[in-house]
Structures are given as C-alpha cells and as structure tokens.
Amino acid sequence: DKFVSAILPGLEKRRAGKETAVCHHACLQRDVLEDLFARIEGDGTPFWVAFREAAKACGGRASEYELYHAFACRFFPQRVVRWMPTFAVVADAEAAMRSPPAGVTFVVAHSHLRGLSKEELKDREGVINGDTQAEILRLMVQG
C-alpha cells in the first residue's frame, strides 16, 4: 500500500489494507497512462527510474495495478468500472476446456500449479467470484 504514495506523493489507495487492485484483466486507457506518466516524470525523472526507486524504498514491494487503479480512481473516477467475472484457477487447462466449470467466464492455468498432487492443489484450484456454496461443497467432498 505504501508504493502508491512513494511513487506519486499525495496519491493514496481508496481502501488501503482492505482492497487490492491486482487482477487477471485490466483495461488500461492511454490518456490515463499518459497523465500518470506526466505527473510522475514532472521533475525530469523517467518513469521507470521513479518506479524502480519507489519499489526499492518499499522493500521491493511495487504494483503497477495498484498505482494505475489509485490514479484512475482519483483523477478519472467516472471512467473506473469494477468488473468481477467468475473464473476458474486450474492446473490442467486442457482438461478444464474439455469439461469447463459451470458459469465461468474464463479459465486461468498457472504454470506453477502443473505437476502438483491432488492434495497440493486442493486449496489452489477453484472458482473465483462464483457460487461460494458450490465451492465449499467441492472442497468438503474432496476431503
């Protein structure tokens, strides 16, 4: 949460510590990015240098998602739209596409999940932003 104000003093997240803007999909708008870059580079420091230095000052913790979201919410609030699609996190994309989980908009197959045992996958695979009761039941049935 400190990165946002470290790179652009005075900018804060709307709900620091309670909400994240890190996501699988984000539509970035060119004019919003250009304004963000212009404000950060206002002192002559290139954006990438300011980003790197702010990240160092925050112990390596930096997020372009959080920065863009905080900036857009503050300076372009009418253009920020929250969308929470239902999606599935899976280890085997081919198997998921043969028999897609019901009601999901898309499937995410993370490479770091490949090769894990069923037990290791138990708390890592599942449907996000979907039917919570069905997910609880799925986990209970799995053991």
Side-chain angles (χ1 to χ4, degrees):
D1 287 348
K2 294 180 176 150
F3 173 74
V4 170
S5 60
I7 191 165
L8 192 56
L11 183 63
E12 300 288 336
K13 288 176 55 176
R14 285 192 306 188
R15 299 182 63 213
K18 295 183 175 120
E19 182 177 66
T20 182
V22 175
C23 55
H24 278 96
H25 292 81
C27 294
L28 306 181
Q29 299 166 61
R30 180 182 299 271
D31 62 324
V32 175
L33 282 173
E34 288 170 347
D35 191 6
L36 171 64
F37 274 57
R39 290 173 193 254
I40 290 174
E41 294 178 333
D43 68 355
T45 303
F47 178 85
W48 71 270
V49 172
F51 192 98
R52 181 191 64 200
E53 295 306 312
K56 280 183 185 177
C58 294
R61 298 183 59 87
S63 172
E64 66 280 12
Y65 299 100
E66 299 287 8
L67 175 60
Y68 180 87
H69 186 258
F71 185 81
C73 284
R74 175 145 175 219
F75 296 104
F76 298 88
Q78 70 285 3
R79 292 170 54 190
V80 175
V81 177
R82 186 174 181 189
W83 178 52
M84 296 178 59
T86 300
F87 65 97
V89 176
V90 301
D92 186 345
E94 290 179 18
M97 296 312 291
R98 282 192 300 275
S99 180
V104 300
T105 305
F106 62 93
V107 173
V108 176
H110 291 293
S111 61
H112 65 274
L113 297 178
R114 291 184 206 132
L116 296 180
S117 70
K118 288 231 180 252
E119 182 62 28
E120 292 171 309
L121 288 171
K122 190 167 79 174
D123 293 330
R124 295 181 178 141
E125 283 189 308
V127 175
I128 310 296
N129 298 331
D131 184 343
T132 306
Q133 290 180 337
E135 275 302 288
I136 292 170
L137 181 60
R138 182 185 66 80
L139 289 171
M140 290 173 68
V141 169
Q142 282 185 345

